[in-house]
Amino acid sequence: MTREEAFTLLQKYNKDPFHIQHALTVEAVMKWYANELGYGDDAEYWGIVGLLHDIDFELYPEEHCLKAPELLREGGAGEELIHAVCSHGYGITVGCGKTIDVEPVHEMEKVLFAADELTGLIWAAALMRPSKSTKDMELKSLKKKYKSKGFAAGCSREVIERGADQLGWELEKLLTMTLSAMAATEDQIQEEMAALNA
């Protein structure tokens, strides 16, 4: 599946600019991680997995990661990509009461699991700043927001910490790298969002 096909498929099921921006953010972060962790040849694929990871969330929030295989298969996605997308819900009980049992195996799947929730928290922290940007955010200010239970309460610290454990990383490494990834790719995402709204 090409990036263009993946983006068209995403937009078929997602219209909310917030969801599109989250998909583009996770795509960019995944590509950054691929290059950083020595998987540069697969960066496009890592990005596509990030782009499509929440494909079913807007229309089927109660069946998140359960409806995704059907939507992805209809769009021509292979089983490997479907497994990767569904694995970011591993161990999470969705609204309809089912717990996702697709385990992240590949390092790419573990990165997606760990970074997905964290990008939401980092972006929420960025929006509180005068600059509204991640580019001038320091790790210590992110850590402060992370520790504040009431801040971005919808972003599960438990999932983020489980993600760091699955990777065998200290939490600080995950926070540092994901913040760097978002700061490095923020302009590109803003440009793409502006082009969509033009």
Side-chain angles (χ1 to χ4, degrees):
M1 178 180 280
T2 66
R3 198 272 177 180
E4 198 178 329
E5 288 166 343
F7 196 46
T8 303
L9 188 61
L10 174 77
Q11 290 175 292
K12 182 175 174 182
Y13 300 107
N14 290 268
K15 309 295 180 206
D16 183 332
F18 177 82
H19 291 147
I20 302 274
Q21 180 163 348
H22 175 64
L24 291 172
T25 300
V26 177
E27 174 192 28
V29 165
M30 289 297 288
K31 284 172 83 167
W32 183 93
Y33 264 111
N35 288 312
E36 202 64 24
L37 298 174
Y39 297 95
D41 291 349
D42 296 325
E44 186 84 358
Y45 176 65
W46 283 46
I48 287 170
V49 171
L51 189 65
L52 293 174
H53 79 286
D54 276 350
I55 187 162
D56 59 359
F57 188 74
E58 189 170 309
L59 293 180
Y60 308 102
E62 302 299 306
E63 296 171 89
H64 181 38
C65 294
L66 296 170
K67 287 294 280 188
E70 180 191 322
L71 307 184
L72 290 166
R73 277 188 197 109
E74 277 173 22
E79 294 306 309
E80 190 185 342
L81 193 148
I82 291 168
H83 185 280
V85 162
C86 296
S87 74
H88 87 278
Y90 182 57
I92 296 164
T93 302
V94 291
C96 67
K98 287 202 172 145
T99 301
I100 307 304
D101 62 0
V102 181
E103 191 172 351
V105 182
H106 189 280
E107 191 164 18
M108 174 262 288
E109 296 172 336
K110 294 175 182 178
V111 168
L112 175 63
F113 184 98
D116 173 31
E117 291 278 306
L118 184 51
T119 62
L121 189 139
I122 292 173
W123 188 239
L127 293 177
M128 304 285 290
R129 302 173 66 72
S131 65
K132 304 264 188 273
S133 172
T134 56
K135 291 190 284 184
D136 59 357
M137 192 190 300
E138 290 180 3
L139 181 64
K140 65 173 190 277
S141 91
L142 172 59
K143 283 165 87 170
K144 205 165 143 188
K145 288 275 192 273
Y146 185 89
K147 284 182 184 137
S148 156
K149 291 285 176 265
F151 178 76
C155 298
S156 166
R157 280 31 169 205
E158 190 231 336
V159 166
I160 293 166
E161 283 155 29
R162 240 181 344 123
D165 284 346
Q166 284 176 169
L167 284 160
W169 294 358
E170 293 292 325
L171 178 63
E172 184 157 321
K173 176 177 177 178
L174 179 65
L175 294 177
T176 305
M177 289 183 77
T178 308
L179 178 57
S180 297
M182 287 182 69
T185 56
E186 186 180 301
D187 289 346
Q188 161 205 332
I189 292 157
Q190 302 293 22
E191 278 168 27
E192 198 151 4
M193 288 303 292
L196 279 179
N197 298 327

